[in-house]
Amino acid sequence: MPELPEVETIKTQLNKKIRDKKIKLVEIHLGKILQGVSEEKFKKIVTDKKIKNIERRAKLIIINLSGGFSIVVHLKMTGQLLYFKNQQTFENYQNKKGAHFVYNFTDGSLIAHLDTRQFGYVKILKTKDLDNLFKKEAFGPEPLAKNFTLKVFKNLLTKRPRTKIKPLLMDQAFIAGVGNIYAQEACWAAKIFPTRTAQSLTSQEVRALYLNLIKILCLAVSCRGSSVDNYLDTEGKQGEYVPRLKVYNREGERCYRGDGVVKKMTLAGRGTYYCPNCQK
């Protein structure tokens, strides 16, 4: 599933590519991923609307429109938002039949929303109601926000003392946007065993986890994310962070930090990679 760095990449690219463009028409080829409204109403709301800006909250992409409405997209496991500069380039795209939504703009460019496993969704709601959606989802703080300080992180940990640290980092009510890849990368970087409870961490370990999590997320954003499965940016390109991954998907390989060998376990239903030598 695209995590914070991948969704942040898509958000940034969309702002550069479609901001201020007007939607000419929307083609919907798979109505089941549209939630809350009919296809006809969705098309009526968004047609002739201008893209004001694109935002991210947790793993959600929010496309704010003129007229006071916002499109909310969750890509889930296999979703993609691909940009095409004109109809011809889209027609030449080998997987164009997999596009469930196609947003056509008045300048001839378009955005295609693909989702192989169809777990994602699209919603339309009034922009003023976004905060209610975020409250309903119970999103935690954004880890890359300026106000997400070490003190804030420590306070959050004290509220979940008995929770295992790796699943806790993935809990969207704890911190928004962090998923399976970056949670285990942060644990490795901080030399913390993934099953340690929050209350078992020393002050030094908490600080190391905080700093490494922020560092990893920022670096992953600069690399346009990690393409370990279906993720592509809006240009159809893979993210470049995978070669920098230290532990994820490296079972049986030597740890970068010594002679340990990376192992894999299942933790809270998710595959989790770790080094038994250096993660204590």
Side-chain angles (χ1 to χ4, degrees), residues 211-257:
L211 292 175
N212 280 288
L213 177 62
I214 303 303
K215 179 181 178 181
I216 289 168
L217 291 175
C218 288
L219 185 56
V221 169
S222 71
C223 292
R224 296 179 296 103
S226 301
S227 292
V228 298
D229 195 359
N230 295 86
Y231 165 71
L232 298 173
D233 69 9
T234 62
E235 297 178 353
K237 298 178 181 179
Q238 293 186 335
E240 299 177 343
Y241 192 72
V242 169
R244 298 173 183 267
L245 294 172
K246 304 301 184 184
V247 68
Y248 180 81
N249 208 25
R250 296 191 64 246
E251 183 181 14
E253 299 181 34
R254 178 172 291 184
C255 177
Y256 285 120
R257 204 151 41 201

Side-chain angles (χ1 to χ4, degrees), residues 109-123:
S109 63
L110 57 95
I111 290 288
H113 180 177
L114 299 89
D115 189 349
T116 303
R117 299 184 68 180
Q118 303 174 14
F119 290 156
Y121 64 74
V122 176
K123 295 181 179 180

Side-chain angles (χ1 to χ4, degrees), residues 8 21 34 42 51 103 144 150 173-174 180 182 185 264:
E8 183 71 15
K21 292 189 177 184
L34 177 62
F42 181 86
I51 307 294
Y103 301 87
L144 296 187
L150 176 58
F174 179 72
N180 195 37
Y182 301 107
E185 287 292 305
K264 181 182 180 182

